[in-house]
Amino acid sequence: MVKLLDLQAITAMHADEYKAAVNRVIESGWFLQGNENKQFEANYAKYIGTNHCIAVANGLDALKLILRGYKELGLMKDGDEIIVPANTYIATILAITDNHLVPVLVEPTFEHLEIDIDQIEQHITPKTKGVMIVHLYGRIAYNDKLGEICKRHGLKLMEDCAQSHGCAWKGIKTGALGDAAAHSFYPGKNLGAFGDAGAVTTDDPELASVIRALANYGSQKKYVFKYVGINSRMAETDAAVLDVKLKYLDENNAKRQQLAAYYYEEISNPLITLPHIIPDENNVYHQFPIFCERRDELQQYLTNHGIQTLIHYPIPPHKQECYKEWNERSYPITEKIHAQELSIPMNQVVTMEEAKEVVGALNAFK
């Protein structure tokens, strides 16, 4: 069996360091908002290249807190619009609607799978206050044109970096390209905790201060509550584990890039389409998506040949029951992606023998 994601094998690579980090937390007797959080926040901010990092409970909270922070600062209000890709994971959309803001869905390109930046300006209205890009699959969703559009129209540029740890544009890491960014450290991510965890990165000191308070029940001083906040904290154990994993992130991403290069070189079945190849700096291959008009048949074929796969994602946000008011909308490129996408094994512990098995099965599919 070639696993899509073998978390046991990934964890085993540095298990002794993780155990030492967790034991350090146990021995300290301090399990929330302690030195491990402070250390990880400092190290992750340095890695990303921002002045501030606020550790929170998960990636969805990070997204929600950015928007909530802008509302508390008076920069956004109920009913304002946020431009967002139509083909993202539901969390990106949930964060917008939960803040009583309006998602304006924009199609991606099929070749690159990220938001079509050439379409953004035509969706800007007087109510538009921001653009939230998603570096889906670990592929860069930013270019200089996008940055210029946001500056020209006075829009906040927010990044959903849930899948792009270590990805960069001209040497600048995702998470530092816009005004604020949300990060997820779900266990299966390129940088994954042992449970749910997330963070916000930004250079904006006011936003950072508000988000830190909002995540702590709305409090900047013990028992004094400036905002109606929430409880969104990263466990000390997860911060300690993430700090270990951060040391190996670039090395592990390089292994993913080597595997991707092999896939691009060797997958030759005309029934299978690969996304356009982009420079390694711009892609950390959180997933390796392939596309096939007979996707479900291909998935079953691979299962029969001992190869695990997963669909990211079978139903687009605008077709979900929770947004039934959008169900009649048509986003044909998004719908094509969701109908044809299949993720094949992609991580730092996939061996060359396993990669050859995956490629052989894909090329033999008829």
Side-chain angles (χ1 to χ4, degrees), residues 20-35:
V22 171
N23 283 336
R24 185 172 65 245
V25 174
I26 293 171
E27 291 168 3
S28 77
W30 198 288
F31 304 112
L32 286 171
Q33 295 181 308
N35 289 331

Side-chain angles (χ1 to χ4, degrees), residues 4-187:
L4 179 76
L5 179 64
D6 190 342
L7 282 178
Q8 285 183 309
I10 289 172
T11 303
M13 294 173 69
H14 306 291
D16 289 342
E17 290 184 72
Y18 302 143
K19 291 174 184 177
V22 171
N23 283 336
R24 185 172 65 245
V25 174
I26 293 171
E27 291 168 3
S28 77
W30 198 288
F31 304 112
L32 286 171
Q33 295 181 308
N35 289 331
E36 300 295 343
N37 263 257
K38 292 176 182 176
Q39 178 173 302
F40 175 69
E41 286 179 339
N43 289 340
Y44 196 60
K46 182 179 179 181
Y47 178 82
I48 295 297
T50 56
N51 291 326
H52 304 279
C53 172
I54 305 98
V56 297
N58 54 69
L60 176 56
D61 279 3
L63 289 164
K64 290 163 62 174
L65 286 163
I66 290 170
L67 294 167
R68 175 74 186 281
Y70 281 134
K71 290 183 74 177
E72 293 292 351
L73 290 169
L75 300 176
M76 296 179 187
K77 64 182 185 303
D78 288 5
D80 283 341
E81 296 173 350
I82 306 296
I83 291 173
V84 65
N87 66 315
T88 185
Y89 180 59
I90 197 73
T92 322
I93 310 295
L94 291 173
I96 298 171
T97 58
D98 187 68
N99 275 287
H100 305 288
L101 301 167
V102 179
V104 176
L105 307 185
V106 174
E107 286 268 58
T109 67
F110 186 74
E111 294 76 18
H112 292 282
L113 309 177
E114 308 301 326
I115 192 169
D116 187 346
I117 292 171
D118 291 336
Q119 288 193 41
I120 285 178
E121 275 194 288
Q122 69 191 61
H123 288 85
I124 295 173
T125 75
K127 288 189 174 184
T128 307
K129 292 299 187 290
V131 177
M132 185 174 283
I133 56 173
V134 184
H135 305 291
L136 202 63
Y137 306 116
R139 299 170 64 90
I140 198 79
Y142 177 89
N143 65 21
D144 294 333
K145 180 179 180 178
L146 174 60
E148 292 165 3
I149 289 171
C150 290
K151 287 179 182 178
R152 186 164 65 251
H153 292 274
L155 304 177
K156 292 298 182 183
L157 177 57
M158 298 159 284
E159 301 175 74
D160 183 338
C161 299
Q163 300 185 2
S164 66
H165 310 100
C167 190
W169 174 261
K170 297 183 178 179
I172 301 173
K173 291 283 197 302
T174 57
L177 292 166
D179 296 289
H183 307 256
S184 168
F185 306 118
Y186 181 79

Side-chain angles (χ1 to χ4, degrees), residues 10 13-14 190 248-263 280 283-285 345-352 355:
I10 289 172
M13 294 173 69
H14 306 291
N190 292 37
Y248 301 103
L249 178 58
D250 289 343
E251 175 185 323
N252 289 334
N253 283 344
K255 292 178 181 177
R256 290 171 179 263
Q257 290 162 346
Q258 291 168 5
L259 176 59
Y262 177 77
Y263 281 159
D280 278 347
N283 196 348
V284 293
Y285 297 98
M346 167 52 66
N347 56 74
Q348 61 268 32
V349 298
V350 175
T351 67
M352 184 53 61

